[in-house]
Amino acid sequence: MNRLEKVFRDLKKRNEKAFIPYIMAGDGGLHALMERIVFLEKCGATAIEIGIPFSDPVADGPTIQQAGIRALQQGTTLKGVLDTLRDIRPIVAVPLILMTYLNPIYSYGTHKFIEDASKSGVDGLIIPDLPIEEEEMLAPEVERGGIELIRLATLTSSKERIEAISSRGKGFLYAVTVTGITGSRNQFENGVCPYLQKLKEISPIPVLAGFGISSPEQVKEMTRYCDGVVVGSKIVELLHEGRFDEVEALIRESKLAEIS
């Protein structure tokens, strides 16, 4: 059983919600990647989403874009990230999810990428610019590699599309909670909660909300309607500024907020 499947099965048994922090690989140098993954696991992360820096990140807001630029300036490559994860995998149990775009995968070589990602212990893969209509070029091989392809639903997704997206895979459905790019928000659109409720009614797999979530209060609100959250920009910002204690507090307080 894939580590992602197992962790969501265990959460369901304990009636707990998921908290997945996002980090940018190579922000602070690749040597910092192991330190940050180990740290986030100790803080109680359900899984960790690891962004691959790319020159044209269409889904990323300013905070994550800047992190990607810093990582590229440090010489971070997809191969370097996978090699580093291979060293990390034996010392961490937490599921690892890669977030990348199609271009780096094609440049690496699709077959080679999936082979190396599998060897590096990658459990999940998010590709924002891969629509379900075109995923057959990649999905079967990803599945053979023992990696879960995580698909995204948006606020404008139809019922039929949600059914099609959520019927594939065994990881989780990533519910994008904003109409736009990533980045912390003070408030969300009025339709977000009904949208999450709709996804939960339709999806046979866990539903996690992501994009814009940055506080325990927002975590508490979102997890009333879904199975957990992904927090990106706020985590990236705090790690870059060396505010590790605030990262730990955010995860701890968010987990408490989920059950209060």
Side-chain angles (χ1 to χ4, degrees):
M1 180 181 288
N2 180 288
R3 273 178 288 260
L4 268 177
E5 288 181 71
K6 184 178 185 303
V7 79
F8 280 108
R9 183 194 65 183
D10 293 345
L11 285 176
K12 186 175 182 179
K13 285 181 180 177
R14 300 193 301 268
N15 196 30
E16 294 178 3
K17 305 288 186 173
F19 186 102
I20 300 180
Y22 168 101
I23 58 176
M24 176 62 72
D27 187 16
L30 271 180
H31 64 277
L33 187 57
M34 180 181 294
E35 173 192 347
R36 292 179 178 185
I37 289 175
V38 170
F39 168 71
L40 290 169
E41 181 179 49
K42 288 180 178 176
C43 288
T46 303
I48 299 170
E49 182 183 345
I50 302 160
I52 302 299
F54 179 50
S55 57
D56 188 23
V58 294
D60 296 339
T63 298
I64 293 177
Q65 282 189 23
Q66 288 301 313
I69 290 170
R70 292 192 296 268
L72 290 172
Q73 289 174 341
Q74 292 269 356
T76 304
T77 64
L78 179 51
K79 184 178 188 309
V81 174
L82 292 176
D83 288 346
T84 303
L85 292 181
R86 191 176 302 189
D87 293 334
I88 293 170
R89 184 76 275 177
I91 65 171
V92 297
V94 65
L96 302 176
I97 303 165
L98 280 191
M99 198 293 276
T100 186
Y101 294 88
L102 280 171
N103 188 279
I105 294 174
Y106 286 147
S107 297
Y108 196 100
T110 302
H111 178 77
K112 181 65 173 170
F113 164 73
I114 294 167
E115 180 181 55
D116 288 355
S118 181
K119 288 178 179 177
S120 297
V122 171
D123 302 288
L125 181 61
I126 300 172
I127 310 174
D129 56 347
L130 177 64
I132 57 169
E133 291 83 2
E134 299 175 17
E135 69 176 33
E136 284 307 307
M137 66 178 75
L138 200 61
E141 197 164 1
V142 171
E143 185 177 340
R144 285 193 294 272
I147 300 170
E148 283 296 331
L149 186 59
I150 309 301
R151 296 158 177 94
L152 291 85
T154 69
L155 286 159
T156 57
S157 296
S158 66
K159 180 177 183 290
E160 293 72 25
R161 190 168 185 83
I162 294 166
E163 288 174 344
I165 293 169
S166 63
S167 66
R168 308 184 187 195
K170 300 174 184 176
F172 64 89
L173 180 63
Y174 196 132
V176 178
T177 55
V178 301
T179 50
I181 56 177
T182 62
S184 300
R185 262 58 169 194
N186 292 323
Q187 60 184 24
F188 291 84
E189 297 176 33
N190 292 331
V192 167
C193 294
Y195 155 71
L196 291 175
Q197 285 180 305
K198 179 174 72 172
L199 293 184
K200 275 295 296 173
E201 290 169 2
I202 296 172
S203 176
I205 58 176
V207 174
L208 268 66
F211 281 49
I213 300 167
S214 61
S215 71
E217 293 75 23
Q218 291 173 341
V219 171
K220 181 177 182 179
E221 178 65 14
M222 294 294 174
T223 53
R224 289 173 58 197
Y225 306 99
C226 65
D227 301 295
V229 296
V230 179
V231 178
S233 295
K234 190 64 177 180
I235 297 285
V236 169
E237 174 191 324
L238 293 174
L239 289 176
H240 174 58
E241 295 174 358
R243 294 152 63 187
F244 283 69
D245 56 335
E246 293 184 44
V247 173
E248 184 174 9
L250 173 60
I251 296 175
R252 182 181 65 251
E253 290 168 17
S254 293
K255 284 182 162 290
L256 290 172
E258 290 168 359
I259 60 176
S260 64

